[in-house]
Amino acid sequence: MHTMTMTVTLGGLAARTGLDILGHLEREMTIPVIDGPQAQGDLIVIPLDYVTGIAIAPNAHWREVPTTGIDVLRAAAAGNPHTLVAEPGTCRWTTGVRDQTGLALGALTADDVAYLVHPEHGGSGIAPGRCVIRRQRERSGRPGQDRRYQFIAD
Amino acid sequence: MQDPYLEMGQLFRRLAPDTIGTTMPVFPTIDQIIAATRRSQVQVRRQVDDQAAERAVAVHTEPLAASRHGELRLHCEDGPAIAFGDGYGIHVLHGTAVPEWVLAGPSVDLIRREPNVEVRRSAIERIGWDTYIRQAALSPVATCPDPGNPGAALSLYDDLADDRGFAGRVLLVVNGTPEPDGHRRRYGINVPAIFDDPVDAAGWTYGLDGRQYAQLARRT
């Protein structure tokens, strides 16, 4: 696992994509680019070769990630959106993923560095490759519920 | 004469439960409040005619002083931070929309029953984490550094007082990103009782085993 040095700052990324970043986050900070697992609040980015039990469906529909990004988890579902952004033509996203845990939102294939951006958590640099993005869960402690766990929304 | 605030109050009486746990802007517009709900935006928009949306501005907001947060956050401890003509509104603490009980009387029992992790956090912060751990009789199992989150610990507790047959453990975690005033929010995440190692428990929340979670390079 390596942390690469790139020169993309949080402020630069916000300006390029038009995404909102909260004022207190350090905008001059260079965003580390990581080729291992990394968490952003209630989401985690995991390179596919780190996990088992995940398969991309043969008929998965891959969507090109535009400059303005794709909300992998929408604001309406969980407060603030987590947005996947990349240079045009370098990254594709699919929700056609079979995950035994049921936690996967989708998978990305990146030929260049891609970023996951969140207004409160800032930016996460994702090294080129294929990754799955999963939600976080917790045990559901309430009686009478069929599901044994529920998603966390932060 | 019809009171536009009353009209919107009636709408938000229905919408407010869906905003619980979300982050509210300091001076929220109607559109921002609708966007914060977990309802279908199209469905909600159908209930709000454009004219009413234009007229309707929350009648009372009280942003918390900048000195506490370094930036303004909607906050009101005495009643709804966003109030409408009929006195109904949305309660907000440090930017997070919460149910009224979090202001009026946060208790261990209500916190334990609360499914939303942000609401639990807000309520525990009202009581204080140390007091909550003591009152809830959480019993420490193990603690260790959080991989990928320098300076932060993962702490696993037994939730002994769970008397509904749902024995479990609670993993105390620390946010990877500091708040504007520099402190880091803490969260209590419910995990199955099968884990003794905090790293295994943290891994489970993302569908990973402890060995995989231990390779976490960064948390924000």
Side-chain angles (χ1 to χ4, degrees):
Chain A
M1 177 168 44
H2 300 93
T3 302
M4 298 174 220
T5 311
M6 302 289 287
T7 51
V8 174
T9 63
L10 187 56
L13 195 60
R16 206 174 77 195
T17 59
L19 294 171
D20 282 335
I21 303 290
L22 287 190
H24 73 279
L25 296 178
E26 205 185 317
R27 302 176 86 86
E28 300 313 309
M29 188 198 81
T30 300
I31 302 171
V33 176
I34 288 165
D35 65 357
Q38 56 182 324
Q40 185 178 88
D42 54 343
L43 295 195
I44 193 166
V45 181
I46 318 163
L48 265 185
D49 50 11
Y50 274 75
V51 279
T52 53
I54 292 186
I56 292 169
N59 60 348
H61 171 67
W62 290 90
R63 234 181 108 191
E64 182 134 330
V65 177
T67 312
T68 50
I70 291 176
D71 288 353
V72 299
L73 190 59
R74 284 205 184 83
N80 286 309
H82 296 263
T83 309
L84 179 65
V85 297
E87 285 290 336
T90 63
C91 185
R92 292 166 303 286
W93 168 256
T94 184
T95 55
V97 175
R98 294 170 186 154
D99 182 356
Q100 285 175 1
T101 67
L103 297 175
L105 287 166
L108 64 100
T109 295
D111 305 326
D112 199 349
V113 176
Y115 294 90
L116 193 63
V117 183
H118 185 275
E120 292 180 356
H121 293 289
S124 304
I126 304 166
R130 192 168 270 199
C131 297
V132 65
I133 298 182
R134 272 180 175 167
R135 292 190 71 173
Q136 190 176 20
R137 65 181 167 183
E138 69 171 346
R139 168 180 58 86
S140 168
R142 300 206 295 177
Q145 286 190 339
D146 293 326
R147 291 196 318 193
R148 286 162 54 216
Y149 66 82
Q150 62 192 19
F151 290 120
I152 288 181
D154 75 350
Chain B
M1 197 174 115
Q2 194 175 20
D3 179 349
Y5 295 127
L6 182 61
E7 190 185 321
M8 293 310 290
Q10 286 162 350
L11 172 66
F12 280 96
R13 190 184 292 278
R14 298 197 297 275
L15 287 184
D18 286 332
T19 65
I20 296 299
T22 64
T23 304
M24 280 289 149
V26 175
F27 297 109
T29 63
I30 293 304
D31 281 337
Q32 284 173 324
I33 296 173
I34 291 171
T37 67
R38 296 185 175 82
R39 298 238 185 139
S40 151
Q41 307 294 292
V42 176
Q43 198 181 35
V44 173
R45 285 289 350 171
R46 251 186 236 133
Q47 298 177 48
V48 188
D49 72 78
D50 289 341
Q51 218 185 347
E54 265 174 43
R55 285 195 305 260
V57 180
V59 293
H60 166 72
T61 60
E62 187 182 329
L64 193 67
S67 55
R68 163 74 201 268
H69 282 299
E71 69 180 29
L72 290 179
R73 278 190 178 176
L74 192 57
H75 177 83
C76 183
E77 297 186 7
D78 308 323
I82 306 165
F84 298 95
D86 62 354
Y88 188 76
I90 299 171
H91 298 85
V92 183
L93 288 178
H94 305 294
T96 303
V98 297
E100 189 176 8
W101 65 261
V102 176
L103 282 73
S107 69
V108 166
D109 210 36
L110 287 168
I111 291 167
R112 187 174 280 128
R113 284 185 216 169
E114 171 56 49
N116 184 288
V117 73
E118 294 289 349
V119 175
R120 288 204 305 267
R121 172 189 58 73
S122 297
I124 293 169
E125 285 173 0
R126 297 272 291 168
I127 298 175
W129 271 98
D130 292 341
T131 306
Y132 176 75
I133 289 168
R134 197 171 59 244
Q135 287 183 358
L138 297 184
S139 163
V141 175
T143 189
C144 68
D146 186 7
N149 195 6
L154 295 171
S155 303
L156 192 60
Y157 288 83
D158 248 332
D159 195 352
L160 298 173
D162 190 329
D163 55 2
R164 296 183 186 85
F166 283 78
R169 287 187 165 167
V170 179
L171 182 69
L172 257 62
V173 301
V174 182
N175 202 2
T177 308
E179 297 304 297
D181 67 358
H183 95 279
R184 289 177 187 235
R185 285 179 168 172
R186 298 162 73 186
Y187 292 91
I189 297 176
N190 297 320
V191 294
I194 53 173
F195 300 114
D196 296 324
D197 183 338
V199 176
D200 289 338
W204 174 86
T205 69
Y206 292 108
L208 301 175
D209 60 31
R211 185 187 52 81
Q212 292 167 324
Y213 185 82
Q215 297 178 74
L216 195 71
R218 183 173 181 238
R219 167 177 291 284
T220 60

